[in-house]
Amino acid sequence: MCVPANVLQPDSVTAAVAQAEEALGPISVLINTVGTHIEQPAEEVTMEAWDKVVNVNLRGAFVLSQAAARSMIAHRVRGSIIHVTSVRSGLGIHRGYAAYCASKGGLGVLIKQLATEWAKYGIRVNGIAPTFTRTALVADYLNAPSFYEPLVARIPLGRVAETSDLVGLAVFLASKASSLITGQNIFVDGGVTASQ
């Protein structure tokens, strides 16, 4: 089923959670793939762009996490919250990514904080940090040879991520097989963070 929600509005997310619970029962897993990016050189970043990126990527992640955790706590569900972050949660880049990197870096630390606070409820919080992943958000970049070729030259495995590369880790982090893993931001990056 599909339930619409605005991640910047806590009441909207709370209502969506309630609607999902009514139809499907208590929430046990949240996978947050919400994100945005506006490229601007750091010296030219507008506060409008900064606020949009940070609000969607960081505030939105917290709003989703809080709503899911409240449900899990109320229903005594030992659940799993998974955020898709980025290699840019730990690395800078020679492009105008100040707001994006700040938001994803903040999310990486937020994951650790929420994992620490909610461990007493049996709620695990982790991140999946891919390199550039082939999605509509970055299609223009990846379709430009002048961007794509230097990008994959820096990735030891020689390719960007496909969404299918993230599925196995998401299933693992959602399952009891990862019951002792929490507070981690796991890189799925073809070796980028191993070599930079």
Side-chain angles (χ1 to χ4, degrees):
M1 64 178 288
C2 179
V3 180
N6 182 336
V7 298
L8 300 182
Q9 297 177 358
D11 290 346
S12 174
V13 174
T14 299
V17 167
Q19 190 176 348
E21 285 177 334
E22 185 177 337
L24 303 171
I27 291 173
S28 58
V29 176
L30 166 71
I31 301 177
N32 167 32
T33 61
V34 176
T36 194
H37 168 58
I38 299 170
E39 183 171 350
Q40 295 175 331
E43 69 276 13
E44 297 175 14
V45 172
T46 65
M47 290 302 96
E48 180 183 14
W50 177 274
D51 289 345
K52 180 175 181 179
V53 173
V54 173
N55 281 342
V56 170
N57 293 354
L58 186 54
R59 176 186 165 145
F62 178 72
V63 170
L64 287 167
S65 297
Q66 186 181 58
R70 285 175 173 166
S71 170
M72 292 172 185
I73 292 165
H75 292 97
R76 299 178 188 257
V77 171
R78 300 173 68 84
S80 176
I81 296 173
I82 303 163
H83 294 283
V84 176
T85 66
S86 169
V87 292
R88 299 300 156 202
S89 61
L91 293 173
I93 187 172
H94 297 285
R95 295 182 72 94
Y97 276 52
Y100 183 84
C101 290
S103 68
K104 293 299 187 173
L107 180 53
V109 175
L110 180 63
I111 286 166
K112 293 180 181 301
Q113 180 62 30
L114 298 181
T116 302
E117 285 197 47
W118 293 338
K120 64 186 176 186
Y121 301 112
I123 298 170
R124 297 178 299 106
V125 185
N126 290 292
I128 297 173
T131 185
F132 263 88
T133 304
R134 197 176 303 281
T135 66
L137 184 65
V138 296
D140 289 344
Y141 291 113
L142 298 183
N143 291 332
S146 61
F147 180 87
Y148 183 80
E149 290 168 9
L151 171 67
V152 296
R154 294 192 316 268
I155 300 173
L157 288 180
R159 67 176 180 87
V160 298
E162 303 293 337
T163 54
S164 59
D165 292 316
L166 312 182
V167 172
L169 182 55
V171 170
F172 172 68
L173 291 174
S175 76
K176 291 182 180 178
S178 62
S179 63
L180 198 60
I181 299 175
T182 195
Q184 302 305 305
N185 190 27
I186 302 170
F187 291 92
V188 181
D189 64 2
V192 168
T193 53
S195 59
Q196 292 185 13

